[in-house]
Amino acid sequence: MTFRKIFFVAAAAICCAASATAGQASRTEGGLAFQAQGLNVRVEFYSPDIVRVYKEPVSRPCKKVSIPIIMKPGRVELSFGGGGGVATVASERVAVSVDTETGGIVFADKQGNIMLRDKDYGTQFTPRDDAGRPSFEVRQAFLLDSAEVIYGLGQQQTGLVSQRNQRLLLRNQNMSICIPFVHSAKGYGLYWDNYSPTTFTDNPQEMSFDSEVGDCADYYFIYGGTADGVIAGVRALTGQAPMYPLWTLGFWQSRERYKSPDELCEVVDKYRELKVPLDGIIQDWQYWGCDSNWNSMRFENPRYINKMGDPYYMRFLPKGEKADATGAEPRIKTAKEMIDHVHKRNAHIMISVWASFGPWTDMYHRMDSIGALYDFETWPRHAGVKPYDPFNPVARDLYWAEMKRNMFDLGMDAWWLDSTEPDHFDIKDSDFDVKTYLGSFRSVHNAFPLVTNRGVYEHQRQATSDKRVFLLTRSSFLGQQHYASHSWSGDVTSTWDNMRRQVAAGLNYSLCGIPYWGTDLGGFFASRYNNDINNVAYHELHVRWYEWGVFQPIMRSHNSSPVAVEIYQFGKKGYWAYDAIEKYTRLRYRLLPYLYSTAWEVTSGSGSIIRPLVMDFAGDSRVLELGSEYMFGRSFLVRPVTDSLYTWQDARRNGHQKDMADVASVDVYLPAGADWLDFWTGSKHSGGQTVMREVPIDIMPVYVRAGSIVPFGPDVQYATEKRWDDLEVRVYPGADGRFTLYEDENDNYNYEDGAYTTIEFEWDEAGRTLTIGERKGKFKGMLKSRKFNIVLVGGSTPAGDVPAKGRTVRYDGRAQTVSL
């Protein structure tokens, strides 16, 4: 009997009594249980869309508690059937068939379309010693359709969007975020719930996960029907994403590193002087001083406490640094003054905090006293620094208590949790035998960043509801969105090839259901350009990467010393690099109402900001493996320019500029199923074709889907400088469309109690009317009346980043319709 026929048998047997048996399988409240291959197997529906499969050796039953899964099984209406060694169970959405002899499991939709096969005899348990504890290497194989396209696996640096025909070691490290989750273009997701280093293999014979250690084989099948549905399932399983403060969506400036409070504050002052928008500044490492004092979580570098010359504190000065030759009195003398100065300039500050401690720190000794340090080589090398054990709840309490006392209580706004893989050098197998609170480091390795971020998030939430948590972190795991965690792609080198690879990496990461991701704009290591900020070839790369940054969820410029990448390092107004950077910074701020509303869709509706084209155009086969462009929210098609078009690139020489009047072009594919308007010109194009778009240095190809309604904010110096009482609302005609404008108090958790408003805009293409719906909800200080400047894009109407004149509508919260 074929698998397809099996499901028709299941449908025919749908009226069987719930207590009936099917072959050797027994019915449970949530599904089926049976034995095969010497394994106890349970199939359990968590919801009509989500099925857990759990397998354990009959001789070694165990009780598994998942780290990322927070969903509990719900009561699901199920139908049972089968016969002849095959048992079936079905919800209203998913049908599951099990072969009680081979252990094979087949997942299908209710129409009988097979989604995924758990391979016959595809589960293997190989005994192994795990740090003195009997355990297993665990392998699980699946069968995919030959033409099926799959995504996910976190953030990999392969440059590929499709994860077919790959062999990857999933072990978190700098630049590689490893999540054993695949997302199929067929509309389902598969999460292998194991945190040990795992080899993912896909070849024509099978797809498999081979984990170094585990007591069970445990996975979740998530049926979404669409990519959005799959992501909604991931969020249901692992937690929804909270809102970030509005200011976090502005521009962030960072450098490795600002070496004194004066240096950091001068950057903020310079941006304000130049009237270039800025919301965030970041204090990277070594504010604590030397490597032996690594991550003390205290300002003990003498430059941060006005102790230059004090013999006690001078011992903390980082290696190779000397006291200022002039001995000049600092303007900003302490860390508290630094934080206060940033706030007075209407900006916010983030600080780098690591998952490890140097031997001079109090935290090192406190963690050591409770057995919460890992004994292996981490960054910085040869300094005696050791990672801490975030799986230990007491260690997490100590970690936060020190952060709160020494930084949060001073007014620190956000946290950069660096090296959350953690960094690990000279790797030996015995390093993974290190004991953690939950077992060997081997058994929990990939969950380290999840638990580290969760610890800080939960503690800050307990401390206050008046300040939203914002975490920047270098590593991640499934479910990290639930803890206000934003990942970036690691310390990538500044090359065009690396920039290109980041696009595909971000698309796959987003398809794991984690919405906030970004990159070091311009790349981190500029050694390709001799670390020379005056290298014109580097200018071109940085500008193009920066332009792309406008269309990343978080926009943050960062680079390794000695290169500094503040806008004024790229010349002055009138120089092409400076002008392009300023132009795109202002565009980012104009897009804040659109982006904040999209963030609300992420929080309230399991939405995504980075949307690989398969999410909106799954019916167009040409987009399935396209890794050069994506949707930013539901309106903008973004195609970063990832090739040098105007300068020579030579690592040993300064770049040489070509004639920039000779405008180059790049190809852009416009997906079928929609018409598209060029963001910069308003010209209209049909979908299903490739167009060549001219790209002068200040133009990155951006197209807007016909039917889009996009609110544009005012020109501001920081996100909350002006209220949104006079928004420009652009309608991009060609199809019906709608958009929901979201507003709240910007930086607290009152929205969780309903303190927010929404206004729905709806465009009727046939009637050429825009309906502005009734305002719903309320919050303290909300706008009761305002103006909307309605602009219909196209024809002679201006487009691009320049404000346009349209029809002014006064709005007091009541619905109205505008004819255009």
Side-chain angles (χ1 to χ4, degrees):
M1 181 182 293
T2 67
F3 281 114
R4 185 171 292 276
K5 289 180 180 178
I6 286 171
F7 285 106
F8 287 119
V9 170
I14 217 160
C15 296
C16 290
S19 60
T21 60
Q24 299 299 311
S26 60
R27 301 178 187 182
T28 66
E29 184 177 354
L32 296 170
F34 64 99
Q35 290 186 359
Q37 306 181 70
L39 304 176
N40 293 322
V41 183
R42 296 201 303 273
V43 177
E44 184 175 18
F45 278 78
Y46 271 47
S47 74
D49 311 281
I50 300 173
V51 185
R52 182 189 187 189
V53 175
Y54 185 85
K55 306 178 184 182
E56 62 188 10
V58 172
S59 60
R60 281 269 307 279
C62 67
K63 187 173 183 180
K64 163 84 173 288
V65 177
S66 177
I67 295 176
I69 304 299
I70 65 173
M71 184 184 191
K72 304 298 182 185
R75 189 171 183 84
V76 182
E77 289 291 326
L78 298 175
S79 303
F80 297 86
V86 174
T88 61
V89 58
S91 70
E92 63 186 31
R93 294 270 289 166
V94 177
V96 182
S97 168
V98 303
D99 187 315
T100 55
E101 178 181 349
T102 68
I105 304 174
V106 180
F107 301 87
D109 63 20
K110 285 305 298 288
Q111 288 70 46
N113 300 307
I114 294 175
M115 298 285 106
L116 176 70
R117 297 175 175 87
D118 177 329
K119 191 176 181 181
D120 290 346
Y121 307 106
T123 311
Q124 298 175 16
F125 284 79
T126 303
R128 71 158 295 161
D129 178 276
D130 179 34
R133 177 181 175 274
S135 188
F136 302 93
E137 294 178 7
V138 186
R139 186 176 188 275
Q140 176 65 56
F142 301 89
L143 296 177
L144 306 181
D145 290 345
S146 60
E148 186 175 351
V149 181
I150 59 172
Y151 313 96
L153 300 179
Q155 169 201 282
Q156 304 298 325
Q157 296 291 338
T158 63
L160 302 173
V161 175
S162 172
Q163 301 290 15
R164 293 306 302 266
N165 300 307
Q166 298 262 26
R167 183 177 176 86
L168 297 167
L169 174 61
L170 303 181
R171 186 183 69 206
N172 279 336
Q173 54 190 310
N174 188 358
M175 298 180 286
S176 182
I177 296 174
C178 297
I179 303 175
F181 172 84
V182 294
H183 186 145
S184 172
K186 291 170 66 174
Y188 72 84
L190 177 71
Y191 168 54
W192 172 247
D193 194 25
N194 187 292
Y195 328 115
S196 72
T198 296
T199 299
F200 168 83
T201 304
D202 180 69
N203 55 43
Q205 287 72 47
E206 63 185 21
M207 179 189 77
S208 64
F209 293 99
D210 193 343
S211 295
E212 290 187 4
V213 64
D215 295 326
C216 60
D218 190 9
Y219 67 84
Y220 294 79
F221 174 85
I222 304 165
Y223 179 64
T226 65
D228 281 302
V230 172
I231 289 172
V234 171
R235 306 267 178 86
L237 264 179
T238 63
Q240 301 300 328
M243 286 290 288
Y244 285 155
L246 174 62
W247 57 266
T248 64
L249 303 181
F251 172 63
W252 287 84
Q253 183 59 63
S254 181
R255 186 198 299 175
E256 188 284 300
R257 60 187 164 88
Y258 298 116
K259 296 182 180 180
S260 70
D262 270 356
E263 194 171 69
L264 182 144
C265 291
E266 285 165 4
V267 173
V268 179
D269 292 345
K270 188 68 173 178
Y271 270 84
R272 293 291 181 251
E273 177 188 331
L274 294 171
K275 299 191 181 305
V276 175
L278 172 80
D279 263 279
I281 190 79
I282 301 176
Q283 175 60 63
D284 204 342
W285 61 9
Q286 292 187 341
Y287 58 88
W288 52 72
C290 63
D291 289 353
S292 295
N293 205 46
W294 191 265
N295 193 41
S296 69
M297 296 182 171
R298 299 177 183 178
F299 295 95
E300 292 180 306
N301 183 323
R303 287 193 172 91
Y304 289 81
I305 49 179
N306 198 29
K307 295 290 185 179
M308 293 298 289
D310 184 311
Y312 175 81
Y313 288 104
M314 287 302 289
R315 71 193 182 109
F316 291 111
L317 201 65
K319 185 177 180 180
E321 291 191 18
K322 299 179 180 178
D324 297 331
T326 62
E329 184 77 5
R331 182 171 63 111
I332 309 295
K333 297 182 180 181
T334 67
K336 180 67 168 82
E337 289 182 17
M338 174 181 72
I339 295 169
D340 290 345
H341 183 86
V342 170
H343 290 164
K344 288 175 184 175
R345 303 295 270 159
N346 296 299
H348 294 79
I349 183 169
M350 170 187 282
I351 196 164
S352 171
V353 183
W354 287 56
S356 54
F357 297 98
W360 285 9
T361 66
D362 287 346
M363 289 300 293
Y364 180 99
H365 297 288
R366 290 183 199 170
M367 294 292 183
D368 193 37
S369 71
I370 61 171
L373 288 178
Y374 298 162
D375 190 15
F376 57 70
E377 185 79 6
T378 190
W379 181 268
R381 306 187 73 170
H382 314 307
V385 177
K386 293 183 180 181
Y388 94 111
D389 181 11
F391 300 98
N392 185 323
V394 176
R396 293 197 300 270
D397 290 345
L398 290 172
Y399 193 87
W400 168 254
E402 198 74 358
M403 289 173 66
K404 182 178 185 301
R405 177 169 51 251
N406 298 321
M407 293 180 282
F408 190 66
D409 289 349
L410 296 183
M412 193 61 64
D413 298 303
W415 311 105
W416 180 349
L417 304 182
D418 209 343
S419 188
T420 49
E421 301 81 19
D423 274 316
H424 190 177
F425 302 110
D426 300 330
I427 297 174
K428 304 180 293 292
D429 189 63
S430 60
D431 291 347
F432 292 94
D433 291 340
V434 166
K435 294 294 196 302
T436 78
Y437 187 81
L438 295 183
S440 72
F441 184 59
R442 179 182 298 105
S443 67
V444 295
H445 176 274
N446 284 337
F448 187 101
L450 175 69
V451 179
T452 301
N453 281 264
R454 184 174 72 190
V456 175
Y457 172 81
E458 290 178 345
H459 279 97
Q460 185 174 325
R461 286 299 309 263
Q462 291 168 5
T464 180
S465 292
D466 294 332
K467 194 170 190 172
R468 295 180 195 168
V469 184
F470 180 59
L471 307 178
L472 172 65
T473 187
R474 198 173 69 186
S475 197
S476 181
F477 198 69
L478 195 77
Q480 206 146 306
Q481 76 286 338
H482 191 49
Y483 306 108
S485 179
H486 158 64
S487 296
W488 93 99
S489 63
D491 301 339
V492 299
T493 302
S494 304
T495 69
W496 291 98
D497 183 59
N498 274 333
M499 180 187 176
R500 196 176 305 114
R501 290 171 184 269
Q502 303 322 299
V503 182
L507 301 186
N508 275 304
Y509 186 75
S510 180
L511 284 170
C512 291
I514 312 177
Y516 292 101
W517 174 92
T519 67
D520 289 342
L521 302 185
F524 185 63
F525 292 112
S527 54
R528 176 77 173 81
Y529 302 94
N530 287 335
N531 294 313
D532 181 7
I533 191 61
N534 296 311
N535 189 317
V536 70
Y538 177 72
H539 289 188
E540 183 185 13
L541 174 68
H542 186 87
V543 164
R544 290 304 193 187
W545 211 319
Y546 194 95
E547 291 172 351
W548 175 35
V550 172
F551 298 92
Q552 295 178 19
I554 301 297
M555 184 183 182
R556 181 182 59 91
S557 182
H558 182 64
N559 200 287
S560 175
S561 298
V563 174
V565 289
E566 294 84 10
I567 184 173
Y568 48 84
Q569 310 291 350
F570 294 87
K572 298 180 180 180
K573 191 180 286 289
Y575 176 59
W576 56 267
Y578 182 103
D579 290 350
I581 292 171
E582 181 181 16
K583 171 181 176 176
Y584 277 79
T585 308
R586 296 190 186 285
L587 173 59
R588 174 71 173 202
Y589 280 80
R590 293 267 283 143
L591 290 175
L592 282 181
Y594 171 82
L595 183 51
Y596 200 53
S597 298
T598 301
W600 171 243
E601 183 185 350
V602 167
T603 295
S604 64
S606 297
S608 299
I609 300 175
I610 292 177
R611 298 180 60 82
L613 296 183
V614 67
M615 296 188 71
D616 295 287
F617 306 99
D620 185 346
S621 61
R622 293 184 64 179
V623 309
L624 298 184
E625 299 185 44
L626 187 60
S628 59
E629 53 193 70
Y630 61 92
M631 297 295 293
F632 183 67
R634 296 185 181 272
S635 297
F636 291 97
L637 174 70
V638 177
R639 199 292 197 191
V641 178
T642 55
D643 291 286
S644 176
L645 302 174
Y646 296 107
T647 64
W648 301 101
Q649 304 168 77
D650 190 320
R652 293 167 299 279
R653 303 184 183 91
N654 283 346
H656 298 283
Q657 187 173 316
K658 298 178 183 177
D659 183 358
M660 301 189 77
D662 184 13
V663 179
S665 299
V666 297
D667 60 293
V668 185
Y669 180 68
L670 304 176
D675 289 334
W676 300 91
L677 286 84
D678 188 309
F679 172 71
W680 302 105
T681 67
S683 61
K684 191 173 181 180
H685 305 267
S686 299
Q689 64 168 324
T690 297
V691 298
M692 296 303 296
R693 178 61 166 94
E694 289 190 341
V695 284
I697 194 64
D698 66 339
I699 295 292
M700 184 183 81
V702 179
Y703 290 80
V704 186
R705 186 176 183 170
S708 293
I709 302 166
V710 180
F712 284 76
D715 184 20
V716 293
Q717 295 300 295
Y718 54 93
T720 58
E721 181 186 14
K722 299 177 183 177
R723 305 194 72 185
W724 295 348
D725 55 355
D726 189 3
L727 292 184
E728 178 182 329
V729 179
R730 295 188 188 177
V731 177
Y732 293 82
D736 294 342
R738 62 177 53 195
F739 181 84
T740 300
L741 177 67
Y742 171 84
E743 295 167 288
D744 63 16
E745 295 173 42
N746 297 328
D747 192 4
N748 58 43
Y749 287 98
N750 291 343
Y751 73 88
E752 293 182 341
D753 298 320
Y756 63 87
T757 62
T758 57
I759 301 172
E760 186 165 294
F761 295 78
E762 187 169 354
W763 170 249
D764 175 41
E765 177 68 16
R768 308 291 279 185
T769 58
L770 178 69
T771 298
I772 308 173
E774 180 182 1
R775 182 181 58 232
K776 296 179 180 179
K778 62 181 180 179
F779 62 88
K780 184 178 179 180
M782 73 178 191
L783 290 169
K784 295 182 179 179
S785 62
R786 66 204 307 168
K787 292 188 293 183
F788 291 122
N789 176 33
I790 311 299
V791 175
L792 187 65
V793 177
S796 59
T797 303
D801 57 331
V802 179
K805 265 195 169 183
R807 179 172 174 180
T808 298
V809 174
R810 297 190 177 276
Y811 177 78
D812 61 5
R814 291 177 291 183
Q816 58 180 291
T817 298
V818 182
S819 295
L820 298 175

